[in-house]
Amino acid sequence: MKISATVNVSGTFDGGMKTYCCIGDGGQSESQDPMFKIANGGTLQNVILGSPAGDGVHCEGTCTLRNVWWNDIGEDAATFKGTSGGTSYVIGGGARSGSDKTFQHNGNGTVSISGFYLKGTGKLYRACGNCSSSYQRHVRIDNVIVDDVDMVAGINSNWGDTATITRVTVYNGSSTVICGKYKGVSKGSEPTYLGEGWNDANCKVNKSDITYR
């Protein structure tokens, strides 16, 4: 399915496992349009995003992404923008071939990621460290497989972010950071990386929950 403009979703959009493309140039430009824009409370399911996929999926409020697959992440797979709290869900699905972030959390509230597969990119999740508004953000990651990934979750400890991580299997990742802490900054600056956290106030993860293959 070749589309030339953003698909706006309210309620539930079921793609029937068809592949949708082609917006943007496949690059890292932050100004690309998303393939799908999901209204508050909406669900996107059974969709494959081909390449180029622009800026992927934008959730304007809370959303559910169920069995969504990204063939080539491009800029970000999905961006969570809602600022009224609540929880967004990524259930099943998978992504590959990104250079940086998969799930970008710009708003507030919680993102819950379960049953997901990620191969060959930078981060599974990043709480924005230099957006125009600074929020406390939370992520729950459970039953996820990552293969050749730099970091599972990146959070801003100075803003009180938390990452609760359970049942993660890491392939080709002897140097994969499970929970990376940053010092979030105002827009226009770059966040400072503070190091990896285990079983602390921000990084709620035990080494026994991580399996290396």
Side-chain angles (χ1 to χ4, degrees):
M1 293 282 293
K2 188 169 169 44
I3 58 174
S4 56
T6 299
V7 177
N8 289 293
V9 175
S10 57
T12 297
F13 180 97
D14 190 316
M17 293 314 293
K18 293 187 179 74
T19 299
Y20 289 76
C21 78
C22 306
I23 286 181
D25 57 8
Q28 284 291 298
S29 165
E30 294 279 357
S31 59
Q32 298 182 76
D33 289 331
M35 292 269 290
F36 293 93
K37 182 184 282 190
I38 305 175
N40 185 43
T43 296
L44 180 69
Q45 63 188 29
N46 303 324
V47 166
I48 302 166
L49 278 78
S51 176
D55 199 29
V57 177
H58 284 186
C59 289
E60 298 299 304
T62 58
C63 69
T64 299
L65 307 179
R66 184 181 286 111
N67 195 33
V68 178
W69 296 82
W70 287 263
N71 267 330
D72 185 334
I73 294 167
E75 177 20 31
D76 300 320
T79 304
F80 299 92
K81 303 172 75 172
T83 56
S84 301
T87 302
S88 291
Y89 295 91
V90 178
I91 302 167
R96 64 184 179 193
S97 304
S99 57
D100 189 11
K101 305 169 298 290
T102 307
F103 297 118
Q104 170 77 16
H105 195 180
N106 290 355
N108 61 15
T110 300
V111 175
S112 171
I113 303 165
S114 60
F116 197 77
Y117 172 80
L118 180 63
K119 180 177 175 67
T121 190
K123 301 175 186 71
L124 171 65
Y125 168 91
R126 178 70 171 103
C128 186
N130 58 357
C131 281
S132 49
S133 296
S134 309
Y135 299 105
Q136 186 179 80
R137 303 174 176 97
H138 306 286
V139 64
R140 295 197 301 264
I141 296 168
D142 178 58
N143 190 25
V144 164
I145 295 171
V146 297
D147 183 348
D148 186 24
V149 168
D150 298 335
M151 183 180 291
V152 176
I155 59 174
N156 307 297
S157 52
N158 57 315
W159 293 337
D161 295 353
T162 65
T164 304
I165 301 173
T166 48
R167 298 193 300 164
V168 171
T169 302
V170 179
Y171 288 86
N172 301 309
S174 57
S175 61
T176 298
V177 174
I178 303 301
C179 181
K181 298 197 281 191
Y182 291 82
K183 181 180 180 182
V185 292
S186 55
K187 191 174 176 69
S189 304
E190 279 300 311
T192 306
Y193 181 56
L194 304 174
E196 189 168 21
W198 289 95
N199 205 8
D200 62 27
N202 305 100
C203 292
K204 301 173 186 294
V205 54
N206 296 309
K207 294 196 173 178
S208 58
D209 260 306
I210 313 300
T211 303
Y212 295 91
R213 291 279 165 82

